[in-house]
Amino acid sequence: MSEQQIADRALLELGKRLIAEDYRFVTPTPLTHERIYKRAAGSLAKDLRDVFGWSLPFDHTLFPREELATLEQAGIVERHGSLWRSTVRWSSLDGLLFAHSVYPTTQTDSVFFGPDSYRFALLIEAHLQQHFEPLRRVLDIGCGAGVGALIVARARHDAQVLAVDINPRALRLTAVNAELAGVNNLSVYHSDLLGSVDGLFDLIIANPPYMNDSQHRAYRDGGGALGEALSLRIVREALPRLQQNGSLVLYTGVAMVAGDDPFLESVRPMLASDAFTWTYRELDPDVFGEELLKPGYEQAERIAVVALTVTRRP
């Protein structure tokens, strides 16, 4: 095995251990995590939740020497002076366990997981409960840690689920998370949206980045004036790739300006054809309010998360 395969195997074994020890952790917003982190300033991790959930530093006595050496060799933990820190977080969602990037997510190839992940999962589950048509091919665009792909693959065993991302780290973590979940009908593939995948799909799901990020981090920056560009591109490229009765389920965020929804106004012309039916609703009217103080959001009055579902008529 390659070094990367060895590291991924070690991460998988760690996930199995956490499950066996009934590890559970719900990942909050970055702002909440920051506040908890400040509250714990100077404290060392006392258990696995502190290490792999709250990303607190720990000393060498928390793990047996051989186990610590194995985790270090796999790149799962790293030294910080005389202390150590995990390089990954583990989060619980609907009976599953997901590996994703450590707090704070400062690296350009960070794989994000947070409250959006939980809302996205609920949106997909609701869609599957309301639509009983067979799913042969499913695509998760920008899969990240693999939340959407795993929810579908677990619920529809006969579906061929394809998880794509431009971030190799996301693909590796999705593969580990899928194996940990015991899912065998999911495959990962490097692709810029639908650029490297062929054919039509019965279901396309996406939870793209939607912020205006000055550092242009791929997991966070949606592009455009207010982070809307990637979401619009997904709608534009996904609609022609839907089978008859196939659906696009898009979870995204919108910076509202003067009471108007610029994303909805931009997407309406794409949905004007009689070939589609669609629904659109706000799931949460106000998220990431701290972003409004940052450059680029001077005209925005709130950031809402929304759900767009488009279905191709038979």
Side-chain angles (χ1 to χ4, degrees):
M1 290 193 295
S2 67
E3 288 186 8
Q4 187 59 61
Q5 289 173 320
I6 293 173
D8 291 346
R9 181 58 50 182
L11 189 62
L12 176 64
E13 293 304 318
L14 173 60
K16 291 179 179 178
R17 176 195 169 184
L18 294 177
I19 290 175
E21 297 189 15
D22 199 28
Y23 170 96
R24 295 175 187 175
F25 184 80
V26 174
T27 297
T29 64
L31 183 58
T32 293
H33 201 133
E34 178 185 359
R35 288 167 173 164
I36 299 299
Y37 203 79
K38 287 181 179 179
R39 182 194 298 172
S43 300
L44 296 182
K46 61 182 181 299
D47 56 27
L48 295 178
R49 287 184 80 252
D50 285 348
V51 173
F52 297 117
W54 290 116
S55 302
L56 290 177
F58 60 95
D59 65 29
H60 69 279
T61 62
L62 194 61
F63 293 91
R65 179 178 300 178
E66 291 185 4
E67 182 180 6
L68 186 61
T70 298
L71 294 175
E72 181 185 22
Q73 185 177 7
I76 296 172
V77 301
E78 61 185 13
R79 293 176 184 267
H80 282 253
S82 62
L83 299 176
W84 300 75
R85 283 194 73 202
S86 172
T87 63
V88 296
R89 274 184 292 179
W90 288 91
S91 294
S92 312
L93 188 158
D94 198 20
L96 299 171
L97 196 60
F98 290 87
H100 57 101
S101 289
V102 70
Y103 172 86
T105 48
T106 54
Q107 296 177 317
T108 57
D109 65 345
S110 291
V111 179
F112 189 74
F113 184 108
D116 277 338
S117 306
Y118 296 100
R119 288 187 286 253
F120 183 45
L122 289 173
L123 178 65
I124 295 170
E125 289 172 344
H127 179 83
L128 295 177
Q129 291 168 4
Q130 296 166 9
H131 296 79
F132 303 100
E133 301 87 355
L135 296 180
R136 293 169 293 274
R137 299 190 75 213
V138 179
L139 178 65
D140 183 359
I141 298 176
C143 61
V147 171
L150 262 71
I151 292 293
V152 177
R154 187 179 62 168
R156 299 293 180 91
H157 296 166
D158 294 334
Q160 175 193 358
V161 181
L162 183 59
V164 302
D165 207 299
I166 60 172
N167 183 354
R169 190 177 182 188
L171 299 178
R172 293 197 302 271
L173 290 177
T174 293
V176 168
N177 292 334
E179 188 171 353
L180 183 62
V183 168
N184 56 19
N185 59 330
L186 185 157
S187 55
V188 300
Y189 199 77
H190 187 274
S191 181
D192 181 2
L193 302 192
L194 291 92
S196 300
V197 295
D198 298 323
L200 302 179
F201 295 89
D202 301 295
L203 177 63
I204 299 176
I205 58 177
N207 172 16
Y210 55 80
M211 306 305 295
N212 180 357
D213 184 46
S214 61
Q215 300 179 49
H216 302 295
R217 290 166 290 186
Y219 78 91
R220 198 170 190 272
D221 186 20
L226 290 169
E228 77 290 346
L230 186 57
S231 296
L232 289 171
R233 184 183 162 201
I234 287 173
V235 176
R236 188 177 301 111
E237 296 186 18
L239 295 185
R241 304 290 291 275
L242 292 176
Q243 292 273 17
Q244 290 186 354
N245 287 321
S247 295
L248 165 67
V249 176
L250 174 67
Y251 173 103
T252 190
V254 179
M256 303 296 181
V257 179
D260 293 329
D261 183 333
F263 173 74
L264 179 58
E265 294 309 310
S266 296
V267 83
R268 281 186 188 276
M270 304 184 207
L271 306 173
S273 167
D274 291 338
F276 303 106
T277 61
W278 59 281
T279 62
Y280 184 86
R281 61 192 176 100
E282 287 191 21
L283 301 179
D284 193 322
D286 185 15
V287 298
F288 296 113
E290 66 274 14
E291 297 296 319
L292 300 182
L293 298 176
K294 297 181 179 180
Y297 282 102
E298 291 85 358
Q299 303 304 314
E301 60 187 29
R302 62 187 175 94
I303 301 171
V305 289
V306 302
L308 172 67
T309 302
V310 185
T311 302
R312 179 178 290 279
R313 295 180 186 271

